[in-house]
Amino acid sequence: MVMNPLLIPTDLVTRLRTARRVAVLTGAGISAESGVPTFREAQTGLWARYNPEELATPEAFRRNPRLVWEWYAWRQERVRQAEPNAGHYALVEMERRIAEVALITQNVDGLHRRAGSQQVVELHGNLFRVKCFAEDRPVENWPESANIPPRCPHCGSLLRPDVVWFGESLAASALRVAEQAAVTAEIFFSIGTSALVYPAANLPFTALAAGATVVEINPQPTPLSPQVTFSLNGPAGVILPRLVEQVWGDAVGISECRL
Ligand code: BV8
């Protein structure tokens, strides 16, 4: 059901008012209105000639650790300059209004937590965490050095971003929590994701199979679109505040006071 993105379907408003368990899967699109480029849109500047899917791999890191480390440093700087947007804040409000909201994100930018979301499952890790390439354990401090990437203070191996690269497995615990949320949710939102990356892209289908109402929020169609219950075609930063206002009226101000 393709809807006018500015008008939230009455049926969805009613279901949200009585919902007790909601799951939300977000992708890079929810950070687009914060000025953070989405994962697959053309990269800019010196990174324009690289395909993110080729850089976000252990092979790329082994081949050219300095290049991959500097790509992540560039992305960290982009995110540091960004702020959560009205879409992030609307999800914080939804978390306050509904008994159980599981927020599952593919994003590594940390913007949901910066907006104030409490229950965040970071399926693909976090841009601002670092781990040892050899020992695969987080490293918080390392001696200043001219080496790029820096070295692990415990074993001397290279340090790497603590993100899940293509070809690497997701943390079993995070995936288990996400799958459980998809199976038990009454309403499952898929927001700002091209629904191409697995196993995250399986989650909305898991929710559908369990009988959930599935809502997609995206200006563009995705492989998930034909299957969803409600398809809201527009930017998350506009639709989510509108949805929160229509469902919980007195939560007004999200779309105004925080833009
Ligand atoms: C794994 C971290 C086991 C790094 C990322 C089946 C099962 C299992 C695996 C596979 C499988 N089939 C294929 C695979 C392999 C692979 C995969 O899925 N490949 C794809 C490309 C086919 N999966 C894996 O490798 C995963 N590992 O399963 O382990 C295994 C082990 C060995 C061999 C096989 C399997 C690991 C996947 C994790 C990869 N790491 N990120 C980093 O960020 O640098 S994924 C990366 O893509 C980001 O996390 C990103 O979030 C994610 C998904 O992309 P999107 O978020 O959707 O972003 P995208 O740019 O694509 O789309 C943005 C959307 O927003 C668009 O639709 C746009 O229209 C919309 N939008 C734009 N503006 C707005 C908006 N929406 C709303 N509002 C707006 N304003």
Side-chain angles (χ1 to χ4, degrees):
M1 185 190 300
V2 180
M3 316 302 301
N4 167 350
L6 299 186
L7 183 65
I8 310 301
T10 311
D11 185 5
L12 175 57
V13 170
T14 308
R15 293 185 200 193
L16 274 166
R17 282 196 182 126
T18 55
R20 296 194 48 72
R21 285 184 311 284
V22 167
V24 180
L25 173 67
T26 63
I30 196 163
S31 297
E33 290 152 276
S34 296
V36 178
T38 63
F39 194 72
R40 280 168 187 77
E41 83 186 60
Q43 298 203 100
T44 57
L46 72 104
W47 302 108
R49 64 178 178 275
Y50 295 100
N51 172 351
E53 282 179 17
E54 287 161 11
L55 280 181
T57 64
E59 294 76 21
F61 186 76
R62 286 192 192 92
R63 197 169 44 245
N64 192 335
R66 182 183 185 109
L67 177 79
V68 174
W69 181 270
E70 289 181 334
W71 179 50
Y72 281 89
W74 175 73
R75 290 172 64 190
Q76 283 178 348
E77 197 41 44
R78 295 290 302 257
V79 171
R80 279 193 195 97
Q81 290 164 18
E83 291 295 331
N85 64 63
H88 294 105
Y89 289 118
L91 291 177
V92 175
E93 187 61 29
M94 187 187 286
E95 196 176 52
R96 292 191 185 119
R97 298 288 181 163
I98 294 179
E100 288 175 41
V101 175
L103 178 49
I104 305 150
T105 189
Q106 301 172 87
N107 299 341
V108 296
D109 59 30
L111 287 178
H112 284 301
R113 283 215 177 88
R114 274 177 56 190
S117 287
Q118 303 295 313
Q119 307 292 330
V120 184
V121 178
E122 292 179 319
L123 284 182
H124 295 160
N126 187 296
L127 204 51
F128 297 99
R129 281 201 312 267
V130 165
K131 66 180 181 181
C132 172
F133 190 66
E135 298 170 312
D136 199 34
R137 64 176 183 170
V139 171
E140 292 187 2
N141 300 295
W142 55 88
E144 275 300 308
S145 138
N147 289 330
I148 298 180
R151 295 279 172 172
C152 171
H154 310 293
C155 74
S157 300
L158 291 175
L159 294 180
R160 55 162 285 183
D162 188 3
V163 297
V164 180
W165 280 329
F166 288 98
E168 294 185 322
S169 298
L170 279 63
S173 55
L175 193 51
R176 192 168 41 249
V177 169
E179 285 167 345
Q180 185 58 21
V183 165
T184 54
E186 298 161 57
I187 303 174
F188 186 103
F189 285 87
S190 178
I191 304 172
T193 180
S194 56
L196 295 173
V197 173
Y198 288 83
N202 275 324
L203 292 169
F205 293 98
T206 301
L208 273 172
T213 296
V214 176
V215 186
E216 183 173 51
I217 299 176
N218 195 322
Q220 302 296 329
T222 73
L224 175 65
S225 304
Q227 318 288 332
V228 299
T229 321
F230 298 101
S231 186
L232 307 182
N233 301 118
V238 171
I239 291 176
L240 281 170
R242 179 97 48 200
L243 179 144
V244 169
E245 284 172 14
Q246 280 192 233
V247 176
W248 295 289
D250 59 356
V252 291
I254 287 168
S255 52
E256 284 83 38
C257 72
R258 286 186 170 134
L259 275 181

